[in-house]
Amino acid sequence: VPDDSDYGPCVEFILQNDVLATLQQYAQIDRPTGMRKLVLSFFSQLVQKLQRTVLPHLNIHKPLQDMICVCGGGKYPIDEINFITSVLGKFHEDPSLVNLFMNETRGKNGVVNYELRLVDALISLSHNTDDRVVKKSCESLLLCVAADSEYVIDNVLSYTILVQDLVSRLCQRYNSFQQDPSDLLDTHVSWTNQLELCFVDCKDKTTARLLIWVDYLNTLSSSSHPNFTNKLLRHFSKVAVATEVEEEVDTEVGDHPPEDKGCCIIL
């Protein structure tokens, strides 16, 4: 596709006939069955081939935005993550494109709320039961927070729950850890090649799950934009301190010590 106003006959046809919008509508209801999978695959290939100057056209980015909104919990997670990562690749070419994929919703009082559904979909997919989807989602989230653009990072921090989700999952995994603390010293894992727990050599998989997530957060905090790293560490500290105070109060009033151990992993 040429990088100028002359898009060529194929792109001109798409622009003038709402082809993408029509495909997106069929994909949203997945009728006939399997249509969403086919459209996701087509959209992924199309985005990779389009020049970024074409994306601002309403008949291009609006159907893509609507498709992103149905990603995250569907029947075709691999196709969804492939589509999301293809769009994310355009962000790296031009960070200003993030404006095209901001969703606006109005609350009961008429207050406008903004959502960055691209990141929301990645968060949802990172909870998938398919390890391949989880790994690719985590890799894509790394790319999101490693962006050089402060504007992109501020949008991620302001309009997504990424920081809260990352810390919450660390706390959940730590609370599930019931083994001897020495297991933490004896087990060596890397999130990049050991997301599949069947390949981890340790006494208990909860130990591996905890250390894999710690390794991922360490990687993320060391490679992300400083604004994101600071927000992540501040939220982590806030949660850890709040948990410690809550446990101290429970002990002082004579309650039994809580079963969970809070969250005291140091990144």
Side-chain angles (χ1 to χ4, degrees):
V1 179
D3 195 4
D4 53 39
S5 58
D6 183 12
Y7 296 139
C10 292
V11 175
E12 287 289 353
F13 181 83
I14 290 176
L15 295 177
Q16 295 174 9
N17 294 276
D18 294 332
V19 173
L20 298 188
T22 301
L23 288 174
Q24 191 280 326
Q25 291 170 6
Y26 280 112
Q28 184 165 349
I29 60 175
D30 198 24
R31 291 290 185 274
T33 302
M35 189 66 176
R36 182 179 298 181
K37 179 180 177 66
L38 292 174
V39 174
L40 283 166
S41 177
F42 173 69
F43 276 18
S44 299
Q45 296 177 54
L46 179 67
V47 170
Q48 292 171 14
K49 296 180 183 299
L50 286 175
Q51 296 289 344
R52 63 179 183 274
T53 54
V54 184
L55 289 178
H57 198 291
L58 182 63
N59 285 353
I60 296 291
H61 82 257
K62 185 61 169 62
L64 296 179
Q65 184 186 53
D66 292 341
M67 182 62 79
I68 290 172
C69 291
V70 301
C71 291
K75 298 184 294 184
Y76 314 106
I78 292 181
D79 300 281
E80 291 178 9
I81 188 60
N82 288 338
F83 166 61
I84 293 293
T85 53
S86 67
V87 177
L88 183 61
K90 295 301 178 181
F91 281 10
H92 280 271
E93 295 179 18
D94 184 359
S96 67
L97 292 175
V98 70
N99 292 321
L100 300 177
F101 297 93
M102 294 294 298
N103 292 72
E104 294 185 16
T105 58
R106 288 190 176 274
K108 295 181 179 180
N109 299 326
V111 178
V112 177
N113 300 311
Y114 295 94
E115 298 174 325
L116 188 51
R117 291 288 182 84
L118 181 82
V119 177
D120 291 340
L122 284 175
I123 293 172
S124 180
L125 288 167
S126 71
H127 287 265
N128 197 271
T129 55
D130 189 323
D131 290 324
R132 297 168 298 172
V133 175
V134 173
K135 183 177 180 179
K136 197 163 185 177
S137 301
C138 288
E139 291 171 343
S140 298
L141 287 171
L142 275 174
L143 292 177
C144 286
V145 301
D148 294 330
S149 171
E150 186 171 330
Y151 178 72
V152 172
I153 296 301
D154 288 345
N155 276 280
V156 172
L157 292 174
S158 299
Y159 304 124
T160 77
I161 60 168
L162 179 57
V163 166
Q164 294 85 342
D165 182 77
L166 293 171
V167 173
S168 174
R169 290 162 76 174
L170 175 63
C171 292
Q172 291 172 4
R173 295 185 181 209
Y174 181 69
N175 291 337
S176 299
F177 174 69
Q178 302 291 340
Q179 304 302 309
D180 190 322
S182 63
D183 287 349
L184 297 177
L185 300 176
D186 298 335
T187 305
H188 302 283
V189 299
S190 169
W191 78 271
T192 56
N193 57 16
Q194 291 182 307
L195 279 174
E196 297 186 26
L197 295 179
C198 58
F199 295 113
V200 177
D201 182 19
C202 66
K203 297 178 181 178
D204 187 85
K205 289 186 177 181
T206 59
T207 304
R209 293 181 72 252
L210 170 61
L211 290 180
I212 285 171
W213 200 246
V214 169
D215 183 61
Y216 176 68
L217 293 186
N218 282 333
T219 301
L220 186 146
S221 61
S222 63
S223 61
S224 63
H225 190 282
N227 288 6
F228 185 87
T229 301
N230 292 336
K231 180 66 176 290
L232 177 65
L233 295 178
R234 284 200 304 270
H235 186 71
F236 174 81
S237 299
K238 179 180 178 181
V239 171
V241 170
T243 302
E244 182 178 353
V245 170
E246 181 180 353
E247 291 182 359
E248 289 180 356
V249 170
D250 288 343
T251 302
E252 289 177 0
V253 298
D255 290 346
H256 294 292
E259 293 182 1
D260 63 270
K261 300 177 285 302
C263 184
C264 60
I265 300 296
I266 300 176
L267 299 181

